[in-house]
Amino acid sequence: MPRLNIIVPVKRVIDYAIRPRVNAAKSVIETNGVKYSLNPFCEIAVEEAVRLRELHKDAVESITVVSAGNSKAQDTLRSGLAMGADKAVLIDTGIADATMLDLEPLAVAKLLDAYVKKAGANVVILGKQSIDDDSNQTGQILAGLLNWPQATNASKVEIDTDSGVATVTREVDGGSETLSAPLPLVITTDLRLNTPRYTKLQDIMKAKKKKTETLKPADLGVDITPRLQTISLADPPKRTGGAKVPDVDSLIGKLKEAGAI
Ligand code: AMP
């Protein structure tokens, strides 16, 4: 079995602790002065790749983090390098932060498909979902384009590096399911897969010396023109204050009044 050449696609997203603000007039999310971080599910994916190397040592040839976005995604890539990835690739689409939702999962999957083939990778570990567009599509589309098997929403990953067979436990409705598939394989991570490590200052400093490559979509022969148009973007409706009712009959009355039943 060839050594594991692992690619981890990572996305720069508005930090999970920040409440996004909508600019309804322009149908975009406000991005000025907003804190961005590595998408939490991608962080779990990097952690898993690093754990695979800690476990299998020389059987892992390399771990590459890849991000499609703009030059600010260099920070995101550096977070992946600080966690233990060997090298980083920025696919610079030139898309501005405010319109990043225009970079659709199909376009990202096409970019990744081209890069995975170019790099000769045999394992891709993605997050199951980006917390900004909540698409949960990129890994599945990528597996389709590559014509590889896929194990999504993984909560446990084991790879037999002699036989090249992976065994993946997945979170499914009402329980878990265990699948096995030969490499090459696309895996997407669920929350319970692992707890990402805390990166120390010295790892962050070391990451600055690791190799980063920048490519353009055209270098990969991919057209990223959006196929969808956002018609409108709106904040969720404001919550109105609650009220106490003395008994069940008045509760039913109130619900009828509000048209809820
Ligand atoms: P999504 O399909 O947008 O919910 O994203 C699922 C996963 O695909 C993410 O957790 C990433 O691993 C990967 N991904 C999505 N967008 C990008 C991007 N712009 N660059 C790199 N990886 C991405």
Side-chain angles (χ1 to χ4, degrees):
M1 169 68 207
R3 294 162 76 206
L4 304 184
N5 179 343
I6 307 174
I7 288 185
V8 185
V10 291
K11 187 171 185 188
R12 173 177 177 265
V13 294
I14 291 181
D15 189 87
Y16 72 92
I18 293 197
R19 194 194 174 107
R21 282 170 292 123
V22 168
N23 180 332
K26 294 189 182 157
S27 286
V28 294
I29 303 282
E30 284 294 351
T31 51
N32 275 346
V34 169
K35 181 182 175 204
Y36 278 78
S37 304
L38 172 57
N39 181 48
F41 290 104
C42 303
E43 203 176 358
I44 294 173
V46 180
E47 175 67 30
E48 196 60 21
V50 175
R51 286 188 190 196
L52 283 171
R53 180 169 35 218
E54 285 166 352
L55 187 66
H56 298 294
K57 305 204 164 59
D58 287 345
V60 175
E61 182 186 323
S62 67
I63 301 171
T64 307
V65 281
V66 180
S67 193
N70 59 31
S71 59
K72 294 181 195 156
Q74 295 280 15
D75 285 350
T76 314
L77 290 166
R78 260 195 297 275
S79 306
L81 292 173
M83 286 177 72
D86 306 306
K87 54 183 175 173
V89 177
L90 169 68
I91 305 174
D92 194 349
T93 61
I95 294 179
D97 288 348
T99 50
M100 196 53 82
L101 292 179
D102 289 346
L103 184 61
E104 293 164 9
L106 176 62
V108 176
K110 285 182 182 171
L111 294 168
L112 294 172
D113 169 52
Y115 184 75
V116 166
K117 287 173 179 153
K118 176 174 145 79
N122 50 14
V123 181
V124 185
I125 311 178
L126 305 93
K128 76 163 180 186
Q129 185 172 340
S130 317
I131 61 164
D132 53 359
D133 62 22
D134 268 348
S135 291
N136 189 339
Q137 292 180 8
T138 310
Q140 294 88 327
I141 301 174
L142 176 64
L145 294 174
L146 289 165
N147 197 21
W148 290 7
Q150 58 180 295
T152 55
N153 304 6
S155 57
K156 188 172 178 195
V157 173
E158 286 170 320
I159 298 182
D160 181 332
T161 50
D162 293 326
S163 64
V165 172
T167 306
V168 179
T169 302
R170 312 179 52 237
E171 308 258 327
V172 292
D173 265 358
S176 64
E177 172 187 64
T178 301
L179 302 174
S180 97
L183 303 186
L185 177 67
V186 170
I187 297 167
T188 74
T189 62
D190 214 324
L191 267 188
R192 270 184 273 264
L193 181 58
N194 61 50
T195 305
R197 68 199 55 204
Y198 176 76
T199 43
K200 298 190 281 296
L201 184 61
Q202 71 202 61
D203 297 324
I204 297 169
M205 298 313 285
K206 266 196 236 157
K208 292 193 175 159
K209 296 198 183 115
K210 292 187 184 174
K211 204 177 141 204
T212 304
E213 187 186 354
T214 301
L215 297 170
K216 297 263 185 231
D219 299 329
L220 296 166
V222 176
D223 177 7
I224 58 162
T225 312
R227 294 177 165 222
L228 302 171
Q229 189 196 347
T230 305
I231 295 170
S232 69
L233 201 64
D235 278 316
K238 289 237 172 345
R239 289 181 72 166
T240 49
K244 275 194 175 169
V245 287
D247 49 43
V248 173
D249 287 342
S250 0
L251 174 64
I252 293 172
K254 285 257 179 209
L255 289 173
K256 279 191 178 152
E257 232 173 74
I261 53 171

